[in-house]
Amino acid sequence: MTRKAPREDVGDERLEIGSPKTWAGGVPAVGHALGTAYRQMGAGRTMLTLLRVNQKSGFDCPGCAWPEGEGHRSPAEFCENGAKAVAEEATVRRVTRDFFAEHPVDELARRSDYWLGQQGRLTEPMYKPAGSDHYEPISWEDAFGVVARELRALDHPGQAVFYTSGRTSNEAAFAYQLLVRRFGTNNLPDCSNMCHESSGSALTETLGIGKGTVLLEDLHRADLIFVVGQNPGTNHPRMLTALERAKRGGARIVAVNPLPEAGLLRFRNPQRPSGLAGTGTALSDRFLQIRLGGDLALFQALSLLLLEAEDAAPGTVVDREFVEAHTHGFDAWEKHVRGLDWSDVLEATGLTRAEIEETARDVLAARSVVVCWAMGLTQHRKSVPTIREIVNFLLLRGNVGRPGAGVCPVRGHSNVQGDRTMGIYEKPRPEFLDALEKEFGFPPPREHGHDTVEAIRAMRDGDARVFFAMGGNFVSATPDTAATEAALRRCRLTVQVSTKLNRSHAVCGEQALILPTLGRTERDVQAGGEQFVTVEDSMGMVHASRGRLRPASEALLSEVAIVCRLARELLGDDPHVPWAEFEAGYDAIRERIERVVPGFGDFNARVRRPGGFALPNAPRDERRFPTATGKANFTVNALEVLRVPRGRLVLQTIRSHDQYNTTIYGLDDRYRGVKNGRRVIFVHPDDLAERGLADGDMLDIISEWPDGERVAEGFRAVAYPTARGCCAAYFPETNVLVPLDSVAETSNTPTSKSVVVRLRRAMEGAVEGAAEGAAEGTVSRRGGD
């Protein structure tokens, strides 16, 4: 079976390819940020809004989760892509009932995510009845009635799936998980399942906490920083400021990535004269251009070299005091690493032994080391063992639980970490459920629910019939596009709580609801007065977020109000949860969070202090490791070299610079030299030549899996200096190539960074497609005889 991605109106006919950039930021970043903001919001609204982003009395950027720090904040505490995220939400464009009357669902399904997002803010609840191809207006009361009716009609609560995106506030997330568990299920998949689930799995096992162990100040104090599988110049631009400060303090930076990324080469800080008029700051002291999936081999090799350095000078390299007092499993790990085969290391990494040995010398010269990573590490089959190996590497020299050192998984969406803290998890810890039961007096379900991949399978197989999404763009965020879309279309009802139109509104169940909600930038006024919400950043800092703009429509409800009103409709007079009180004033929710979630004592008072507060982190704060052994665990991780069949490449899906997650701001990726288009595939020139292909050729990308091929058609080849044997293309356009069943061990995260593909000229694909069609026609005729 061959599965193909839908072709959309992306506008690639004007595609231009130039040279990749060697620096990020500077005047162009300012110009692009303000230009996008002016187009979406106008001049006055732009200044009113951007000057409040990430300020202590303002609102948290709806983009990434990078922290702001405790000290002085710039008046312009935002980056280029943060400005774009704010502009997308605070746009003056509106999607009204007239839009839906004009555009049937099947037409919207043929539009690109970019086109859909550019239409503007949603303004009122809309309902697509069964058998209809149009959304039509519906009152909030009737909308909640539809959801409650369909949920009550299920055979059991496990037939409903409740998804969450990372933008949901702590208060809304806590109320949401409470509603879902009062209903009777733990089916709470979220975007963490597709990004940092591997980090959480590995860190919980090894350190006892599924989060990083550093604060922003630790980066400033580090001697050596590894940035692995991450492109901060596009995905977390404010991180470049922290790296620049670290460099000015004497730190060395090692970038480990298959693609050279402009932001890690040189940073022209727009808030410094040298960034606007000068050459800026060279960031990476060393660039290790690693093959996809080779990171485990790299860190094992570095650890082996450290052990050999200890052999040569006993007592000078390994932190024996820390290892003996605070770790478990060292002897088994050491024996395993000493048996490492260098030929496997070099094949897996694509690096030379000299490059790895020189990096080991950097490590030996550094007292304090931080390792940062993002989805370039978390979306492989061996992601969890890879991150465990990074922990081994850091534990060896005591680089956990001291200033300037530790693990730093850099989260994406602005409250994705906070949502998990609040209980958005399909496999809740028994202690969390015990606390819920004690506080609210009902027995929450104990059986584990569906994660994202399992939820798609359940909908596909008819085992889940209602899908409810609190934010996000599920269709475009998930793997195996054709399978995901078919699964959602099998549902009896799909519900999307959203600020803007996206593809998930057009790929829907028999019935569908769009419930429009307030954005971070907007005032939230309830019966108890004006409210604020809270978020947790990537380093465990909790702070308040207060919108100031007038809502895009008087018909919008906050996420908290949507949850509480649905709960009252579904559960009636609930004796256990005061839903009306929660909606009226969010302090009431925070009082309950304080009693259920560890670390939130005196929540309402502490979060009102400028800058908020840090959650406790036992490995960082006390060098205490709440694992099964009571210590930090060294783990043995087998090295498996990723070997692909002849003629194949390993594909990673990536973002463009005009993109945040599934939100497409524009059609340019100026750091990689792409303008006016997205259907491109970056391939090393020698890999193109080996296949008889050339820069500029139009190609189809085919992934292979036991259940059949998947095809993404019509991509322009771009000769690019990526690692040999590897290639890259943008998501969501290439999500169709990621098989649903290709997942990371333990975490079940889709392997979007290690898809084995082959390339063919697009015209050859047309010929093959014609042959397939003829064959299918023959089968059809025979079946009719």
Side-chain angles (χ1 to χ4, degrees), residues 163-433:
Y163 177 74
T164 316
S165 92
R167 58 146 284 166
T168 304
S169 69
N170 287 329
E171 291 75 15
F174 186 82
Y176 188 50
Q177 63 81 29
L178 185 60
L179 165 62
V180 172
R181 292 187 167 110
R182 282 290 289 125
F183 178 60
T185 181
N186 283 313
N187 285 346
L188 282 160
D190 71 331
C191 55
S192 284
N193 297 148
M194 294 177 287
C195 54
H196 271 285
E197 197 69 62
S198 297
S199 299
S201 298
L203 295 177
T204 299
E205 177 184 354
T206 57
L207 301 180
I209 183 170
K211 303 179 182 182
T213 65
V214 301
L215 294 171
L216 187 58
E217 291 71 23
D218 290 309
L219 283 179
H220 301 158
R221 300 171 67 174
D223 298 317
L224 179 65
I225 301 170
F226 283 83
V227 182
V228 190
Q230 185 187 1
N231 175 18
T234 286
N235 301 332
H236 315 91
R238 286 189 300 134
M239 182 179 178
L240 298 182
T241 303
L243 295 178
E244 179 188 47
R245 179 168 173 179
K247 285 286 293 184
R248 291 175 179 270
R252 289 179 63 81
I253 296 174
V254 177
V256 185
N257 207 49
L259 293 166
E261 300 291 10
L264 288 172
L265 298 176
R266 182 174 292 274
F267 176 45
R268 296 183 180 178
N269 189 337
Q271 300 195 29
R272 288 180 177 272
S274 61
L276 292 173
T279 61
T281 304
L283 291 183
S284 296
D285 297 281
R286 194 176 304 284
F287 171 42
L288 300 181
Q289 189 165 33
I290 199 163
R291 289 188 65 234
L292 285 162
D295 306 278
L296 187 153
L298 170 63
F299 281 96
Q300 281 195 345
L302 290 173
S303 293
L304 174 60
L305 292 171
L306 295 178
L307 290 172
E308 291 175 348
E310 172 74 4
D311 295 341
T316 65
V317 177
V318 175
D319 189 338
R320 295 288 181 183
E321 181 180 352
F322 174 82
V323 168
E324 292 172 6
H326 296 290
T327 74
H328 173 269
F330 175 81
D331 291 342
W333 170 80
E334 180 184 20
K335 180 180 179 181
H336 174 73
V337 170
R338 287 189 183 275
L340 193 62
D341 185 331
W342 270 100
S343 63
D344 284 346
V345 170
L346 301 183
E347 183 181 358
T349 62
L351 302 172
T352 66
R353 182 162 180 165
E355 287 178 298
I356 299 173
E357 289 175 342
E358 289 165 1
T359 305
R361 284 193 283 273
D362 290 338
V363 178
L364 287 168
R367 182 180 183 277
S368 299
V369 180
V370 173
V371 181
C372 307
W373 68 88
M375 289 188 289
L377 246 63
T378 64
Q379 294 181 326
H380 300 271
R381 190 170 69 88
K382 291 292 183 178
S383 287
V384 173
T386 296
I387 296 166
R388 290 197 302 238
E389 202 60 55
I390 289 174
V391 174
N392 292 337
F393 165 77
L394 290 169
L395 293 177
L396 184 61
R397 304 196 73 205
N399 276 309
V400 177
R402 72 165 181 237
V407 294
C408 182
V410 182
R411 306 281 177 167
H413 224 151
S414 61
N415 199 42
V416 62
Q417 185 162 292
D419 288 350
R420 183 59 58 89
T421 302
M422 291 296 107
I424 301 293
Y425 191 29
E426 75 280 357
K427 296 187 284 287
R429 293 169 62 93
E431 297 87 347
F432 178 83
L433 297 179

Side-chain angles (χ1 to χ4, degrees), residues 20-42:
K21 305 299 182 187
T22 57
W23 54 271
V27 174
V30 176
H32 283 271
L34 295 180
T36 299
Y38 289 158
R39 287 191 296 274
Q40 293 278 2
M41 299 188 290

